[in-house]
């Protein structure tokens, strides 16, 4: 049963301006994501940060909480599986499977998240 859908888009220029701000990067990316981020070329860093930012915002929308008191960027981790598919995990997962898709253009990054209850019951 689908219990949440979220969509977000972010301008890559916005992330390009923030890429050198280590405090901002550390606020958005968890340590596992930061390790990957630090190994990327400058162009890929912008794509990676924008994509993760957008996917985490989309997840917060799908959960219905937004980013704030009950959910932070640090509560969400997105790491690619061996085939390159992004896999999202969160401390708010309660018997759910989260589907995530991230895409990029020259100007923007976007993500869609679908939360599926594995028990057939809504988590809300």
């Amino acid at each position: 049963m689908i219990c949440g859908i979220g969509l977000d888009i972010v301008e890559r220029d916005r992330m390009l301006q923030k890429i050198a701000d280590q405090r901002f990067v550390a606020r958005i990316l968890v340590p596992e994501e930061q390790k990957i981020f630090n190994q990327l070329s400058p162009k890929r860093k912008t794509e990676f940060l924008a994509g993760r930012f957008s996917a985490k915002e989309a997840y917060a929308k799908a959960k219905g909480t937004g980013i704030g008191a009950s959910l932070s960027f640090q509560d969400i981790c997105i790491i690619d599986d061996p085939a390159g598919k992004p896999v999202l995990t969160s401390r708010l997962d309660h018997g759910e499977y989260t589907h995530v898709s991230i895409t990029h253009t020259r100007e923007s990054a976007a993500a869609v998240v679908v939360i599926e209850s594995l028990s057939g019951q809504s988590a809300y």
Side-chain angles (χ1 to χ4, degrees), residues 7-10 49-59 109-111 113:
L7 173 68
D8 191 73
I9 187 167
V10 64
L49 184 61
R52 280 356 187 227
F53 181 92
S54 186
K56 291 179 182 196
E57 286 280 350
Y59 176 77
V113 168

Side-chain angles (χ1 to χ4, degrees), residues 51-73:
R52 280 356 187 227
F53 181 92
S54 186
K56 291 179 182 196
E57 286 280 350
Y59 176 77
K61 291 172 183 177
K63 288 300 280 185
T65 63
I67 297 291
S70 62
L71 180 67
S72 79
F73 289 108

Side-chain angles (χ1 to χ4, degrees), residues 8-107:
D8 191 73
I9 187 167
V10 64
E11 299 297 323
R12 285 182 49 183
D13 282 349
R14 179 176 169 207
M15 292 296 117
L16 183 59
Q17 295 169 2
K18 298 281 194 176
I19 208 161
D21 182 350
Q22 286 302 311
R23 287 188 357 211
F24 179 80
V25 172
R27 186 170 70 90
I28 305 304
L29 303 177
V30 299
E32 298 92 337
E33 294 167 323
Q34 289 178 44
K35 185 177 179 180
I36 296 164
F37 173 84
N38 289 330
Q39 297 174 4
L40 299 173
S41 69
K43 179 184 174 195
R44 284 289 298 132
K45 281 183 177 182
T46 303
E47 288 176 356
F48 186 87
L49 184 61
R52 280 356 187 227
F53 181 92
S54 186
K56 291 179 182 196
E57 286 280 350
Y59 176 77
K61 291 172 183 177
K63 288 300 280 185
T65 63
I67 297 291
S70 62
L71 180 67
S72 79
F73 289 108
Q74 292 297 302
D75 294 325
I76 308 162
C77 180
I78 305 163
I79 302 291
D80 293 348
D81 72 8
K85 176 184 174 185
V87 176
L88 186 150
T89 57
S90 166
R91 71 168 182 80
L92 292 186
D93 288 344
H94 303 292
E96 302 162 345
Y97 182 77
T98 302
H99 305 269
V100 61
S101 181
I102 303 170
T103 191
H104 310 92
T105 69
R106 286 187 186 121
E107 294 83 27

Side-chain angles (χ1 to χ4, degrees), residues 1-6 61-63 95-99 112-124:
M1 171 179 167
I2 293 175
C3 55
I5 299 172
K61 291 172 183 177
K63 288 300 280 185
E96 302 162 345
Y97 182 77
T98 302
H99 305 269
V112 65
V113 168
V114 176
I115 301 173
E116 178 182 10
S117 172
L118 298 179
S119 66
Q121 300 293 318
S122 174
Y124 307 106

